[in-house]
Amino acid sequence: MTRAEARRQIAERFRLADLDEPKREASLLVAAACGSRLVDLIAEPDAPLSPAAAAKLEAFTERREGGEPLSRILGRREFWSLEFAISPDVLDPRPDTETIVEAALRALRERRREQLRVLDLGVGSGALLCALLSEFSSASAVGVDRSDAAAQVARANIAALGLAARAAVHVGDWADGLDGPFDLIVSNPPYIRSADIAELAPEVRQHDPRLALDGGADGLAAYRALAPQIARLLAPEGWFFLEVGAGQAEEVKTIAAKAGLGETETFRDLANVERVVGGRAPRR
């Protein structure tokens, strides 16, 4: 079987499985199975598929037909035009979280060349931290995660993107033991209600780590822990941005206000959902 024939067959299987982009996903999996680039498939469509590549491609295809996300099969995900390795130990970074980067760029647009200090609480794969460092060229950053395995993934991604000189990743419980001030604090904490996790889509429920999903009985436990620490660590002219679940923005703003954080506002994602709560340093 040639690469082109394999692409056509896999695309048809994906079409029958009602996947959204059967041709694109088939091409990506054929390239991954062959250990080549997409451009190589176009340049050499009649190259034969080796037995090893064919076996790997069939395994990939069955996993995808079973509902496993393409990013999990490939072990990588694009975020903010950067590529990140992911593992079962980290949340699969999604476009909604890019709303935090957009909000931070808007709020700190006059300070993009300053030596800002950035803190990412719940760093996961490092996608958010790296995206911010790619935009704030003189900034340095600290990432924290409760999971040692997640921290290792973040460190590897930071190094792969050439950002290791400007970033450090620690294992810990949110900001415990950290000293400020930080000019920008961001987090995509767990915000799904514990009782709702069983109802999540299979690609989330079965493949994202529960530690990154479970926000407690009402989904707000992480925000109650984060708000006082953000108030303690944020620089006088600093900003914070927190991703929130649909319908949680007003409650998270109330939690932030009770911690003394000021001037909170919300930012909507591409689906027009209030996805991020942002705000300023504590009122003095």
Side-chain angles (χ1 to χ4, degrees):
M1 183 184 297
T2 67
R3 293 173 173 179
E5 290 169 339
R7 290 170 68 188
R8 286 193 293 270
Q9 289 188 17
I10 302 305
E12 178 61 16
R13 287 172 63 174
F14 287 171
R15 187 188 67 78
L16 294 174
D18 203 27
L19 298 183
D20 289 338
E21 299 179 285
K23 291 182 179 179
R24 172 181 170 274
E25 293 200 3
S27 297
L28 288 169
L29 289 186
V30 171
C34 295
S36 62
R37 302 169 301 168
L38 281 176
V39 67
D40 298 326
L41 301 188
I42 298 171
E44 300 178 321
D46 297 325
L49 214 60
S50 72
K56 186 179 291 187
L57 178 60
E58 179 60 26
F60 287 167
T61 302
E62 291 178 358
R63 288 167 64 184
R64 187 68 186 106
E65 288 175 322
E68 186 170 349
L70 182 68
S71 56
R72 292 293 183 187
I73 298 170
L74 298 175
R76 63 180 186 269
R77 164 73 83 169
E78 183 179 294
F79 181 89
W80 202 253
S81 299
L82 304 171
E83 187 169 280
F84 294 89
I86 60 173
S87 80
D89 302 298
V90 300
L91 195 70
D92 189 350
R94 295 177 174 87
D96 290 347
T97 306
E98 293 183 349
T99 308
I100 291 181
V101 185
E102 294 166 355
L105 287 173
R106 190 183 315 165
L108 295 165
R109 58 187 176 275
E110 304 297 332
R111 305 180 65 189
R112 289 186 64 176
R113 300 295 179 261
E114 292 184 20
Q115 295 181 342
L116 303 177
R117 293 189 74 207
V118 179
L119 175 61
D120 182 357
L121 296 170
V123 68
S125 66
L128 188 51
L129 180 148
C130 291
L132 290 167
L133 288 182
S134 75
E135 296 289 348
F136 295 95
S137 58
S138 298
S140 61
V142 174
V144 181
D145 205 285
R146 290 180 177 179
S147 165
D148 180 67
Q152 292 181 39
V153 173
R155 292 184 190 115
N157 281 322
I158 289 166
L161 291 168
L163 299 169
R166 294 198 283 136
V169 175
H170 305 300
V171 177
D173 188 7
W174 298 125
D176 286 357
L178 288 182
D179 293 322
F182 289 92
D183 303 288
L184 174 61
I185 300 177
V186 298
S187 183
N188 177 16
Y191 53 72
I192 306 298
R193 294 192 307 169
S194 301
D196 293 342
I197 289 179
E199 306 302 321
L200 293 173
E203 59 266 27
V204 177
R205 183 182 71 249
Q206 296 175 5
H207 299 285
D208 280 329
R210 188 179 180 104
L211 185 64
L213 298 175
D214 194 339
D218 64 355
L220 302 172
Y223 303 104
R224 295 190 186 95
L226 286 168
Q229 295 187 339
I230 292 171
R232 174 176 65 87
L233 293 171
L234 202 58
E237 298 300 318
W239 282 83
F240 73 91
F241 297 98
L242 306 173
E243 182 168 329
V244 300
Q248 292 179 329
E250 289 305 315
E251 292 173 295
V252 172
K253 288 172 71 174
T254 298
I255 291 170
K258 288 181 178 179
L261 293 163
E263 299 183 39
T264 56
E265 57 184 303
T266 57
F267 302 83
R268 295 180 180 271
D269 62 19
L270 293 177
N272 203 35
V273 174
E274 289 185 319
R275 182 59 61 190
V276 171
V277 169
R280 306 300 301 271
R283 296 183 296 272
R284 302 300 181 187

